[in-house]
Amino acid sequence: MNPAREPVPGAVILTALFAAFLISVPAIMGYFNAPQGYVFTGFDWQDDFHLYASYIKQASEKPMLFMENRFTTEQQGGVYVFLYFSLLGLFSLLTGLDVAVVFLIGRFFVVLVFLLILWRVLKEFFPEGLVRREGTS
């Protein structure tokens, strides 16, 4: 069988799904455990989140390729191209979901796809070190 066409073992898929779920747990816990009178923003870190959220919000208001940095005092037009945030904003526009929820859904799928691609790449470097479906059947 062609190694590039070989199906991904179920254990690898389950591990990737579990890892993608684990990275979402802090946000899920934040939503459900916010104290009375407080609102969880949907993010478990605060470094660049507001900028990322503004890009998603811009794309959800009006789908565009070129975005502006709304957190600067400099006058500017849309000069930044962020395809990932544009796609998330379009998804938010089409579904009506909140920016934070869309970001968390996007992060879940990015982690999932990254780990599946990583497995394929590592398999090329360590072909005999990984358990193969044909070897176990």
Side-chain angles (χ1 to χ4, degrees):
M1 178 181 279
N2 182 356
R5 300 255 184 225
E6 183 178 333
V8 178
V12 173
I13 293 172
L14 287 175
T15 302
L17 282 169
F18 183 68
F21 171 74
L22 276 182
I23 203 166
S24 302
V25 168
I28 293 168
M29 295 298 291
Y31 274 118
F32 292 112
N33 293 322
Q36 185 69 23
Y38 290 87
V39 175
F40 180 66
T41 62
F43 293 85
D44 45 357
W45 87 98
Q46 297 296 323
D47 294 340
D48 293 329
F49 152 69
H50 300 293
L51 188 59
Y52 302 151
S54 76
Y55 293 143
I56 298 169
K57 184 69 175 169
Q58 285 177 62
S60 70
E61 291 170 350
K62 179 179 133 186
M64 63 181 94
L65 183 61
F66 295 99
M67 298 181 177
E68 60 188 34
N69 181 353
R70 293 184 175 172
F71 291 95
T72 183
T73 57
E74 299 291 323
Q75 292 293 330
Q76 59 170 307
V79 294
Y80 301 104
V81 177
F82 298 110
L83 295 177
Y84 177 66
F85 298 124
S86 294
L87 289 173
L88 289 180
L90 183 61
F91 182 72
S92 176
L93 176 67
L94 294 174
T95 61
L97 293 172
D98 184 59
V99 168
V101 173
V102 168
F103 186 85
L104 292 173
I105 291 170
R107 183 169 68 171
F108 178 88
F109 284 107
V110 165
V111 168
L112 181 65
V113 169
F114 171 77
L115 290 175
L116 293 176
I117 291 172
L118 179 66
W119 181 82
R120 288 258 188 221
V121 170
L122 289 178
K123 186 176 73 167
E124 296 302 318
F125 288 103
F126 306 107
E128 296 170 9
L130 297 175
V131 177
R132 297 304 224 14
R133 176 178 269 181
E134 290 82 18
T136 58
S137 59

